[in-house]
Short mmCIF file of all heavy atoms in Angstrom, two decimals:
data_model
loop_
_atom_site.label_atom_id
_atom_site.label_comp_id
_atom_site.label_asym_id
_atom_site.label_seq_id
_atom_site.Cartn_x
_atom_site.Cartn_y
_atom_site.Cartn_z
N ALA A 132 112.97 83.47 89.35
CA ALA A 132 112.17 84.54 89.93
C ALA A 132 110.71 84.32 89.52
O ALA A 132 110.44 83.95 88.38
CB ALA A 132 112.64 85.91 89.41
N PHE A 133 109.85 84.44 90.48
CA PHE A 133 108.41 84.19 90.25
C PHE A 133 107.61 85.39 90.75
O PHE A 133 107.62 85.70 91.91
CB PHE A 133 107.98 82.90 91.00
CG PHE A 133 106.51 82.52 90.79
CD1 PHE A 133 105.91 82.60 89.55
CD2 PHE A 133 105.77 82.09 91.87
CE1 PHE A 133 104.58 82.24 89.40
CE2 PHE A 133 104.43 81.74 91.72
CZ PHE A 133 103.83 81.79 90.45
N TYR A 134 107.02 86.08 89.78
CA TYR A 134 106.28 87.36 90.09
C TYR A 134 104.82 87.11 89.91
O TYR A 134 104.37 86.57 88.89
CB TYR A 134 106.78 88.47 89.20
CG TYR A 134 105.88 89.68 89.21
CD1 TYR A 134 105.79 90.54 90.36
CD2 TYR A 134 105.13 90.05 88.06
CE1 TYR A 134 104.94 91.67 90.28
CE2 TYR A 134 104.33 91.17 88.02
CZ TYR A 134 104.26 91.98 89.16
OH TYR A 134 103.45 93.07 89.16
N THR A 135 103.99 87.49 90.89
CA THR A 135 102.53 87.42 90.78
C THR A 135 101.94 88.78 91.08
O THR A 135 102.47 89.53 91.88
CB THR A 135 101.94 86.38 91.78
OG1 THR A 135 102.16 86.88 93.11
CG2 THR A 135 102.61 85.01 91.63
N LYS A 136 100.82 89.07 90.43
CA LYS A 136 100.07 90.30 90.78
C LYS A 136 98.59 90.01 90.70
O LYS A 136 98.13 89.26 89.87
CB LYS A 136 100.51 91.46 89.83
CG LYS A 136 100.12 91.32 88.40
CD LYS A 136 100.55 92.60 87.68
CE LYS A 136 100.27 92.60 86.19
NZ LYS A 136 100.71 93.81 85.48
N ILE A 137 97.86 90.64 91.64
CA ILE A 137 96.43 90.46 91.74
C ILE A 137 95.83 91.74 92.14
O ILE A 137 96.41 92.52 92.95
CB ILE A 137 96.08 89.31 92.75
CG1 ILE A 137 94.61 89.02 92.74
CG2 ILE A 137 96.59 89.59 94.14
CD1 ILE A 137 94.25 87.71 93.46
N HIS A 138 94.64 92.04 91.66
CA HIS A 138 94.04 93.35 91.92
C HIS A 138 93.66 93.50 93.40
O HIS A 138 93.20 92.55 94.05
CB HIS A 138 92.81 93.59 91.09
CG HIS A 138 92.48 95.04 90.78
ND1 HIS A 138 91.85 95.80 91.73
CD2 HIS A 138 92.83 95.81 89.75
CE1 HIS A 138 91.73 97.02 91.24
NE2 HIS A 138 92.33 97.09 90.07
N HIS A 139 93.95 94.71 93.92
CA HIS A 139 93.71 94.98 95.32
C HIS A 139 92.21 94.97 95.66
O HIS A 139 91.84 94.85 96.86
CB HIS A 139 94.29 96.35 95.72
CG HIS A 139 94.73 96.40 97.14
ND1 HIS A 139 94.24 95.66 98.15
CD2 HIS A 139 95.72 97.18 97.74
CE1 HIS A 139 94.85 95.94 99.29
NE2 HIS A 139 95.71 96.86 99.03
N SER A 140 91.34 95.07 94.66
CA SER A 140 89.90 94.94 94.93
C SER A 140 89.51 93.56 95.42
O SER A 140 88.48 93.36 96.00
CB SER A 140 89.12 95.32 93.70
OG SER A 140 89.45 94.42 92.63
N GLY A 141 90.40 92.59 95.17
CA GLY A 141 90.08 91.20 95.55
C GLY A 141 90.77 90.73 96.80
O GLY A 141 90.24 89.83 97.49
N VAL A 142 91.89 91.34 97.12
CA VAL A 142 92.65 90.84 98.33
C VAL A 142 93.33 92.03 99.06
O VAL A 142 93.67 93.00 98.36
CB VAL A 142 93.71 89.76 97.99
CG1 VAL A 142 93.07 88.50 97.46
CG2 VAL A 142 94.73 90.34 97.03
N ASP A 143 93.54 91.90 100.34
CA ASP A 143 94.46 92.77 101.06
C ASP A 143 95.70 91.94 101.39
O ASP A 143 95.82 90.80 100.98
CB ASP A 143 93.83 93.41 102.28
CG ASP A 143 93.32 92.41 103.30
OD1 ASP A 143 93.66 91.21 103.19
OD2 ASP A 143 92.65 92.86 104.25
N GLY A 144 96.62 92.44 102.18
CA GLY A 144 97.80 91.75 102.48
C GLY A 144 97.60 90.41 103.21
O GLY A 144 98.24 89.43 102.89
N LYS A 145 96.70 90.44 104.20
CA LYS A 145 96.36 89.22 104.90
C LYS A 145 95.72 88.17 104.05
O LYS A 145 96.04 86.95 104.09
CB LYS A 145 95.54 89.54 106.16
CG LYS A 145 95.20 88.37 107.04
CD LYS A 145 96.45 87.91 107.79
CE LYS A 145 96.12 86.74 108.71
NZ LYS A 145 95.15 87.02 109.79
N ALA A 146 94.76 88.65 103.24
CA ALA A 146 94.10 87.70 102.32
C ALA A 146 95.10 87.13 101.30
O ALA A 146 94.96 86.00 100.86
CB ALA A 146 92.94 88.42 101.60
N GLY A 147 96.05 87.93 100.90
CA GLY A 147 97.10 87.45 100.00
C GLY A 147 97.94 86.29 100.62
O GLY A 147 98.29 85.34 99.96
N ALA A 148 98.14 86.42 101.97
CA ALA A 148 98.85 85.36 102.66
C ALA A 148 98.04 84.08 102.69
O ALA A 148 98.55 82.95 102.62
CB ALA A 148 99.26 85.80 104.07
N GLU A 149 96.72 84.25 102.82
CA GLU A 149 95.84 83.08 102.81
C GLU A 149 95.83 82.45 101.40
O GLU A 149 95.76 81.25 101.29
CB GLU A 149 94.42 83.49 103.21
CG GLU A 149 94.31 83.99 104.64
CD GLU A 149 94.67 82.92 105.66
OE1 GLU A 149 94.40 81.71 105.42
OE2 GLU A 149 95.22 83.27 106.70
N LEU A 150 95.89 83.27 100.39
CA LEU A 150 95.92 82.79 99.02
C LEU A 150 97.19 81.95 98.78
O LEU A 150 97.17 80.92 98.06
CB LEU A 150 95.80 83.92 98.01
CG LEU A 150 95.94 83.59 96.54
CD1 LEU A 150 94.80 82.69 96.13
CD2 LEU A 150 95.91 84.86 95.72
N ALA A 151 98.27 82.40 99.42
CA ALA A 151 99.52 81.64 99.30
C ALA A 151 99.42 80.23 99.80
O ALA A 151 100.04 79.30 99.29
CB ALA A 151 100.69 82.41 100.03
N LYS A 152 98.63 80.06 100.82
CA LYS A 152 98.43 78.68 101.40
C LYS A 152 97.78 77.77 100.42
O LYS A 152 97.95 76.53 100.46
CB LYS A 152 97.63 78.77 102.69
CG LYS A 152 98.28 79.53 103.85
CD LYS A 152 97.42 79.58 105.06
CE LYS A 152 98.06 80.41 106.17
NZ LYS A 152 97.17 80.50 107.37
N VAL A 153 96.95 78.34 99.52
CA VAL A 153 96.27 77.52 98.53
C VAL A 153 97.22 77.15 97.40
O VAL A 153 97.27 75.97 96.93
CB VAL A 153 95.11 78.32 97.94
CG1 VAL A 153 94.49 77.55 96.74
CG2 VAL A 153 94.02 78.50 99.00
N LEU A 154 98.06 78.08 96.97
CA LEU A 154 98.90 77.84 95.79
C LEU A 154 100.19 77.09 96.14
O LEU A 154 100.73 76.39 95.29
CB LEU A 154 99.27 79.20 95.18
CG LEU A 154 98.13 79.93 94.38
CD1 LEU A 154 98.63 81.28 93.87
CD2 LEU A 154 97.65 79.08 93.26
N TYR A 155 100.73 77.26 97.33
CA TYR A 155 102.09 76.80 97.66
C TYR A 155 101.99 75.62 98.68
O TYR A 155 101.00 75.44 99.35
CB TYR A 155 102.91 77.93 98.18
CG TYR A 155 102.82 79.15 97.29
CD1 TYR A 155 102.73 80.45 97.82
CD2 TYR A 155 102.82 79.04 95.89
CE1 TYR A 155 102.65 81.57 97.01
CE2 TYR A 155 102.73 80.16 95.09
CZ TYR A 155 102.63 81.44 95.62
OH TYR A 155 102.51 82.54 94.83
N ASP A 156 103.13 74.90 98.79
CA ASP A 156 103.19 73.74 99.66
C ASP A 156 104.15 73.98 100.81
O ASP A 156 105.06 74.80 100.76
CB ASP A 156 103.66 72.55 98.84
CG ASP A 156 102.70 72.18 97.71
OD1 ASP A 156 101.52 71.95 97.98
OD2 ASP A 156 103.14 72.13 96.55
N ALA A 157 103.96 73.16 101.85
CA ALA A 157 104.80 73.27 103.05
C ALA A 157 106.03 72.35 102.87
O ALA A 157 106.97 72.40 103.73
CB ALA A 157 104.00 72.90 104.29
N THR A 158 106.08 71.46 101.92
CA THR A 158 107.16 70.52 101.69
C THR A 158 107.49 70.54 100.19
O THR A 158 106.69 70.99 99.35
CB THR A 158 106.83 69.11 102.14
OG1 THR A 158 105.79 68.58 101.23
CG2 THR A 158 106.32 69.09 103.54
N PRO A 159 108.70 70.00 99.83
CA PRO A 159 109.03 69.94 98.37
C PRO A 159 108.08 69.06 97.58
O PRO A 159 107.92 69.24 96.37
CB PRO A 159 110.41 69.32 98.38
CG PRO A 159 110.96 69.62 99.74
CD PRO A 159 109.79 69.61 100.64
N GLU A 160 107.37 68.17 98.22
CA GLU A 160 106.42 67.30 97.55
C GLU A 160 105.15 68.07 97.17
O GLU A 160 104.54 68.73 98.01
CB GLU A 160 106.06 66.09 98.41
CG GLU A 160 105.07 65.10 97.71
CD GLU A 160 104.79 63.90 98.59
OE1 GLU A 160 105.44 63.81 99.66
OE2 GLU A 160 103.96 63.10 98.17
#
Side-chain angles (χ1 to χ4, degrees):
F133 181 43
Y134 165 70
T135 65
K136 64 179 180 180
I137 186 167
H138 205 279
H139 211 333
S140 60
V142 296
D143 60 12
K145 183 69 180 297
E149 295 298 326
L150 177 61
K152 296 179 182 178
V153 172
L154 287 177
Y155 312 138
D156 297 304
T158 69
E160 182 178 354

